[in-house]
Amino acid sequence: MICYSFTEPLYLIFSPDLPALFYYSHIVTAIVAIFVGFFVLKSGKKLLLNRLLFAISICFFFWVVSNIILWTNIHSNIMLFVWSLLRILSSMMSILSIYFLYVFLEKKDISFFLKGIFLVLILPVIILAPTYINLSGFNLATCDAFMFEGGLFQFYRVAFGILAMLWILILLIRRYHKADVNFKKQILLVGVGIELFLLSFFIVTFLAAYFTKIGLLPDSRLEYYGLFGIIIFVIYLSILTVKFGAFNIKLLASQALVWGLVILIGAQFFFIKITANFVLNGIAFIGILIAGPFLIKSVKKEVNQRELLESLTLKLEQSNSNFAEANEKLKGLDKLKTEFVSLASHQLRSPLTAIKGYISMLIEGDYGEINPKAKEIVDRVAESSNNLTLVVEDLLNVSKIESGGMKYDMVKFDFSELVNNTAKDLSITAEKKGLKLTHKIDMSHQYFVDGDKEKLRQVLINLIDNSMKYTEKGKIELDLDNQDGKITLSVKDTGAGVDPEVEDTIFEKFSRGEGAKLNASGSGLGLYLVKEIVEAHHGRVWVESLGVGKGSTFFVELNEVK
Amino acid sequence: MMYNRKYNYMKTKQHFYNHIFFYIISFFLLVTIFNSFYRFIIKNDYIVYYEDKCDPYTESCFMSCEADSCIYYKKIQKYALNVYTECGNNITNCYQASVCLKNDKNCSITYCNLNIDSNCEFINNSRIQNN
């Protein structure tokens, strides 16, 4: 039966009796609700929180659609059918809001018991909604069913709505106290949003219906304003999503802004009656549709770059941390190695000293004459033990330097005297190898230095020994000069030379150039020790060579002391 | 294969228990929607109230005045199915809608009672009819 005082709407929902605000408040909010619902669901189909929000938005959407039908339709049977559903939908929104909040706060589904309680509360509304307990008739004169609504059912429904709001409030307060600072902000956003939504929706729709029923209002148009509660809710959810990434959505503020503007400006078309305003609104709408995507794209690009930079920085920090850790481990290992070398060398020293002592006694005939063949072998043993002693000494010195235990006994002495004596001592060894060792000292200068005589003697021995090892034939020349307070000793040989590629690394530990093929007995530490000792005396050492096979000249520079 | 069947059964059972709230709600919602549709759309099982024309010369009428014109009406309540059967969708210009017939269920016509409502109009002293 049709309501005889009202006219059929145009295109099913457009009634001339209703103001533009009706359509603005209903259509815009329905679009916003369904859009947000699907957007959230799409972002996390398997997440319970997203599904619940979708369910709330769907209930709200259908509530709005039902309400549009109720306001525009004039068929009593259709209106009663929709009226019965309306009460169910508003109660569903309340119960789903409580469920939603539980899941949001606890980050997990609710217990079986709580689900049971929710069912017990909502099922009477669902089951009794289409019965006489809720709706017994329809008023064709006013085209509504207010006078035929069951008092008990309405009381239960209203009490249920109030209970839901109180329940949410208590839940929020209790959880807020236990939450950390970050989560407190999120609780506030969700809590305020959801309460404002329920409050505005429930109170206004309830009050509008109640005042209409008791005759205080001619109709329930007041409820239009309650629907804007969903906009408030969506705003709070948007802030939550943008700031905290809630619902597993990566939403930029610019996206939310552009979409909000599109909906807001687009909805104006229902409201505007003046042509000029319609045109201006259209221009603004088109502008947003064109400029909006560009804005979103550029902001997204910046955000992505910033995030990439942050992740790279994090990776870099992690790498640095790993490197630092590895470095510490290496330092530890290096220290252990140094200690081991020192210990091993000390352990080797004593037996070597004993070997050298007995060999020298044998050579000197303390145990009687030895035959020439045996003497030859004993001489070789003596030479090998001397070489081994040198290697052990080098190892010990290196371990002392690395552990910072090398001590220098600095005194003022004549360096030229040291060069002279050392050259004389080693010339015999050089002759045995078929090499000529000469030395030239410019006696017009002074050669006093402040240094450790023994260590500098070691430097000279290592340099000369190094030249002897890598020179098959020819000569080794020592040259000492003093220019402007810089005492320079050069050790020039006609040996294997130095490959320019390894010139920079020749003074490093265990570095042996091409010439290593000539000599297998070197430890690779001689020149390293030379460099360390000379640098400890504030001097410098370097090598010059024309290339492989073209000989080399080692230089040592020390500061003269007057 | 037996294992797979048992596994699927357990999985379905677990899924059901996890979503029992929504399954029960959905079931009752569907039942309610069907019930509501059947009651209101198909059976027209409800009462309708409307205000019909009233002759103040013969009946005690309710009165509603706006500006200089006044409308006189009586209140009628009838079972929707009866009204629908008798008058169709539109009750205007339908005599059966203005009276309570013998077979009408839950039918009542309420006239204005001078003792209760001061806004009554009864020009002649006719008896008030009540069914």
Side-chain angles (χ1 to χ4, degrees):
Chain A
M1 256 141 288
I2 59 172
C3 301
Y4 46 84
S5 309
F6 297 84
T7 49
E8 281 270 15
L10 291 167
Y11 311 114
L12 287 175
I13 61 167
F14 291 104
S15 169
D17 303 324
L18 294 169
L21 179 63
F22 170 79
Y23 296 100
Y24 193 74
S25 64
H26 282 68
I27 295 173
V28 169
T29 54
I31 292 170
V32 166
I34 203 70
F35 176 76
V36 168
F38 274 107
F39 184 69
V40 167
L41 184 71
K42 191 178 159 247
S43 306
K45 277 182 206 159
K46 296 197 175 173
L47 297 172
L48 179 60
L49 197 69
N50 293 33
R51 287 181 189 173
L52 285 167
L53 190 61
F54 174 71
I56 293 171
S57 68
I58 284 290
C59 284
F60 182 82
F61 174 78
F62 281 115
W63 191 98
V64 170
V65 168
S66 304
N67 211 38
I68 291 175
I69 294 171
L70 284 182
W71 275 98
T72 56
N73 205 281
I74 59 168
H75 294 267
S76 60
N77 52 356
I78 294 171
M79 287 179 73
L80 277 171
F81 169 66
V82 171
W83 199 293
S84 67
L85 298 180
L86 208 68
R87 303 309 185 208
I88 298 171
L89 289 165
S90 60
S91 298
M92 282 294 297
M93 274 194 279
S94 298
I95 208 79
L96 285 170
S97 298
I98 303 172
Y99 195 164
F100 170 82
L101 196 66
Y102 261 108
V103 174
F104 178 81
L105 294 173
E106 303 302 326
K107 308 285 181 222
K108 59 177 184 180
D109 199 357
I110 57 175
S111 64
F112 214 72
F113 175 70
L114 206 51
K115 284 181 188 175
I117 292 183
F118 286 168
L119 281 173
V120 164
L121 288 171
I122 193 71
L123 281 179
V125 176
I126 296 173
I127 294 167
L128 298 176
T131 66
Y132 267 89
I133 294 169
N134 177 28
L135 289 170
S136 54
F138 192 83
N139 186 338
L140 292 172
T142 54
C143 213
D144 59 58
F146 288 118
M147 66 186 275
F148 290 99
E149 282 186 316
L152 192 64
F153 184 89
Q154 297 313 310
F155 175 78
Y156 180 83
R157 198 178 61 78
V158 168
F160 180 74
I162 295 169
L163 171 72
M165 284 188 285
L166 285 172
W167 194 334
I168 287 171
L169 190 65
I170 292 165
L171 201 61
L172 287 167
I173 292 168
R174 279 176 65 181
R175 195 65 180 84
Y176 185 82
H177 285 300
K178 292 182 203 170
D180 60 60
V181 173
N182 200 35
F183 198 49
K184 269 183 176 160
K185 289 180 190 170
Q186 296 185 49
I187 291 174
L188 262 178
L189 281 168
V190 160
V192 170
I194 214 168
E195 280 285 49
L196 281 177
F197 162 58
L198 286 177
L199 207 65
S200 67
F201 179 78
F202 176 79
I203 286 181
V204 175
T205 52
F206 162 68
L207 282 177
Y210 179 69
F211 289 154
T212 308
K213 194 172 178 180
I214 62 172
L216 268 177
L217 289 172
D219 56 38
S220 56
R221 290 183 187 206
L222 182 67
E223 70 181 26
Y224 300 168
Y225 300 97
L227 301 186
F228 289 112
I230 193 75
I231 304 289
I232 298 168
F233 186 36
V234 166
I235 290 171
Y236 276 96
L237 287 182
S238 301
I239 297 170
L240 195 71
T241 307
V242 169
K243 263 191 109 173
F244 301 101
F247 313 109
N248 200 39
I249 295 171
K250 217 176 144 181
L251 179 73
L252 301 171
S254 57
Q255 284 173 309
L257 178 70
V258 168
W259 279 113
L261 282 172
V262 165
I263 291 167
L264 203 67
I265 294 172
Q268 294 281 333
F269 288 114
F270 292 102
F271 212 41
I272 295 169
K273 292 191 192 297
I274 302 167
T275 312
N277 285 0
F278 197 89
V279 169
L280 285 169
N281 199 60
I283 293 168
F285 188 67
I286 292 166
I288 276 287
L289 284 177
I290 294 169
F294 283 111
L295 173 70
I296 291 168
K297 203 175 164 184
S298 72
V299 171
K300 220 174 181 176
K301 193 178 168 187
E302 267 187 52
V303 167
N304 286 344
Q305 281 176 342
R306 182 173 48 83
E307 281 174 357
L308 182 68
L309 194 65
E310 278 172 9
S311 94
L312 286 173
T313 307
L314 204 68
K315 277 185 189 166
L316 189 65
E317 277 170 7
Q318 187 63 36
S319 295
N320 282 347
S321 166
N322 291 343
F323 280 135
E325 212 181 299
N327 200 32
E328 282 305 312
K329 277 185 186 165
L330 278 170
K331 277 185 186 170
L333 285 169
D334 197 49
K335 195 182 167 200
L336 276 172
K337 178 217 74 187
T338 304
E339 283 170 7
F340 168 75
V341 166
S342 175
L343 191 73
S345 303
H346 274 296
Q347 296 300 320
L348 285 170
R349 227 186 197 174
S350 307
L352 272 171
T353 310
I355 291 167
K356 277 175 73 175
Y358 286 118
I359 292 294
S360 119
M361 282 163 78
L362 272 173
I363 291 170
E364 283 164 17
D366 287 358
Y367 292 94
E369 282 284 325
I370 46 176
N371 67 58
K373 273 190 184 168
K375 191 173 184 302
E376 204 183 308
I377 290 165
V378 168
D379 282 340
R380 281 191 202 157
V381 171
E383 196 185 330
S384 294
S385 69
N386 282 338
N387 287 339
L388 192 56
T389 305
L390 283 172
V391 170
V392 168
E393 283 298 321
D394 282 350
L395 283 170
L396 271 171
N397 284 331
V398 165
S399 75
K400 274 186 202 168
I401 288 168
E402 284 181 349
S403 65
M406 182 68 106
K407 288 184 173 53
Y408 295 93
D409 190 12
M410 300 300 223
V411 294
K412 184 178 169 184
F413 70 96
D414 188 354
F415 189 62
S416 63
E417 203 181 298
L418 181 66
V419 170
N420 194 39
N421 293 338
T422 311
K424 278 181 184 169
D425 289 341
L426 291 175
S427 61
I428 303 162
T429 316
E431 262 180 47
K432 279 185 187 172
K433 279 196 79 178
L435 300 170
K436 194 176 174 186
L437 176 64
T438 60
H439 65 282
K440 192 172 89 181
I441 301 169
D442 185 357
M443 296 313 293
S444 64
H445 298 293
Q446 298 268 336
Y447 296 98
F448 284 97
V449 296
D450 191 22
D452 186 316
K453 206 171 175 182
E454 276 308 306
K455 299 289 187 303
L456 287 174
R457 185 168 182 276
Q458 186 70 48
V459 164
L460 291 172
I461 291 170
N462 281 9
L463 284 172
I464 297 166
D465 187 57
N466 184 67
S467 289
M468 283 198 290
K469 275 182 195 159
Y470 292 98
T471 307
E472 270 191 339
K473 57 180 181 182
K475 54 186 178 177
I476 300 166
E477 293 171 349
L478 271 67
D479 196 292
L480 189 66
D481 196 9
N482 186 346
Q483 295 290 331
D484 302 320
K486 295 284 182 194
I487 297 168
T488 310
L489 170 73
S490 64
V491 179
K492 186 178 177 183
D493 61 55
T494 55
V498 179
D499 189 342
E501 281 182 19
V502 301
E503 246 181 55
D504 293 333
T505 59
I506 204 163
F507 291 100
E508 286 177 17
K509 273 186 286 184
F510 309 113
S511 170
R512 305 182 73 196
E514 275 290 311
K517 290 171 193 167
L518 291 171
N519 189 312
S521 67
S523 64
L525 294 171
L527 289 178
Y528 169 74
L529 279 168
V530 163
K531 182 172 173 280
E532 290 294 317
I533 292 167
V534 167
E535 284 179 356
H537 285 78
H538 308 293
R540 63 185 189 108
V541 62
W542 72 97
V543 64
E544 286 173 14
S545 173
L546 291 170
V548 174
K550 293 175 183 171
S552 47
T553 309
F554 286 85
F555 293 89
V556 172
E557 189 184 89
L558 295 167
N559 297 318
E560 186 193 1
V561 168
K562 297 229 190 271
Chain B
M1 201 164 150
M2 280 286 288
Y3 174 78
N4 278 343
R5 235 184 268 163
K6 194 178 177 185
Y7 175 73
N8 286 337
Y9 167 72
M10 294 300 288
K11 212 174 157 185
T12 310
K13 199 173 158 188
Q14 190 59 40
H15 177 83
F16 176 75
Y17 279 124
N18 288 345
H19 298 88
I20 194 166
F21 177 78
F22 290 105
Y23 282 125
I24 292 175
I25 294 263
S26 304
F27 171 74
F28 280 102
L29 267 174
L30 284 169
V31 167
T32 295
I33 291 168
F34 175 76
N35 191 17
S36 187
F37 182 84
Y38 182 71
R39 186 189 157 198
F40 296 119
I41 307 290
I42 296 172
K43 274 186 72 184
N44 286 299
D45 178 19
Y46 57 94
I47 295 164
V48 282
Y49 165 90
Y50 49 93
E51 290 157 0
D52 196 29
K53 285 178 291 208
C54 180
D55 184 2
Y57 289 95
T58 55
E59 297 159 322
S60 177
C61 304
F62 291 95
M63 194 168 71
S64 170
C65 295
E66 264 179 53
D68 293 328
S69 68
C70 289
I71 300 166
Y72 305 102
Y73 62 92
K74 58 193 174 198
K75 296 175 183 178
I76 302 175
Q77 213 164 272
K78 254 183 152 180
Y79 190 53
L81 184 62
N82 293 144
V83 179
Y84 187 72
T85 313
E86 289 151 13
C87 300
N89 250 340
N90 201 338
I91 60 167
T92 52
N93 305 316
C94 179
Y95 169 73
Q96 287 93 327
S98 307
V99 295
C100 283
L101 302 172
K102 205 174 167 185
N103 296 328
D104 281 344
K105 197 169 117 176
N106 296 336
C107 182
S108 67
I109 301 173
T110 307
Y111 296 94
C112 192
N113 189 336
L114 283 158
N115 297 326
I116 299 163
D117 194 338
S118 58
N119 212 23
C120 291
E121 184 72 10
F122 190 18
I123 298 168
N124 283 340
N125 273 330
S126 301
R127 280 182 302 149
I128 296 166
Q129 287 180 330
N130 274 313
N131 202 353

